[in-house]
Amino acid sequence: MFEIIEQEPSRLREVTGIGPKRAARIIAGWAEQKVIREIMLSCTATGSAHRGRVRIYKTYGADAVQLISENPYRLARDIRGIGFLTADQIAAKLASKRRR
């Protein structure tokens, strides 16, 4: 079912009981969770607490991954509980991904 939501979301309407409004909510919720998963993956190696990752999403919303990629040090400025050292670890991880 997750593949359908990801690749063919219009097919949700084929499920009995899912109308256009519910399908739209499912699709929106899935997109939100996808961003949260990406944040979790980008922060997991640094040991950032789950609570911090949720704050990141609440602060930056759907643009979180892009904003962090552009300037991970903004985390130390914008997110309570994330200091420079954590932001620096995230920056190092992102830099090593870019080199691959």
Side-chain angles (χ1 to χ4, degrees), residues 46-53 55-56 59 74-87 89-90:
T46 65
S48 299
H50 174 73
R51 210 177 30 218
R53 292 178 241 166
R55 281 192 204 121
I56 291 169
T59 301
R74 72 183 304 146
L75 292 167
R77 180 190 67 213
D78 298 341
I79 311 295
R80 194 180 107 253
I82 296 180
F84 176 82
L85 291 177
T86 300
Q89 290 172 338
I90 292 169

Side-chain angles (χ1 to χ4, degrees), residues 31-58 61 64-66 68 75 82 86 90 93-94 97:
E32 179 178 303
Q33 289 302 313
K34 184 176 180 180
V35 172
I36 292 171
R37 282 191 306 275
E38 290 176 23
I39 294 168
M40 297 245 181
L41 290 173
S42 67
C43 296
T44 297
T46 65
S48 299
H50 174 73
R51 210 177 30 218
R53 292 178 241 166
V54 171
R55 281 192 204 121
I56 291 169
Y57 179 75
K58 286 183 177 180
V65 174
Q66 178 185 343
I68 294 168
L75 292 167
I82 296 180
T86 300
I90 292 169
K93 182 179 179 215
L94 291 171
K97 276 186 177 181

Side-chain angles (χ1 to χ4, degrees), residues 3 22 42:
E3 292 84 21
R22 183 170 286 177
S42 67

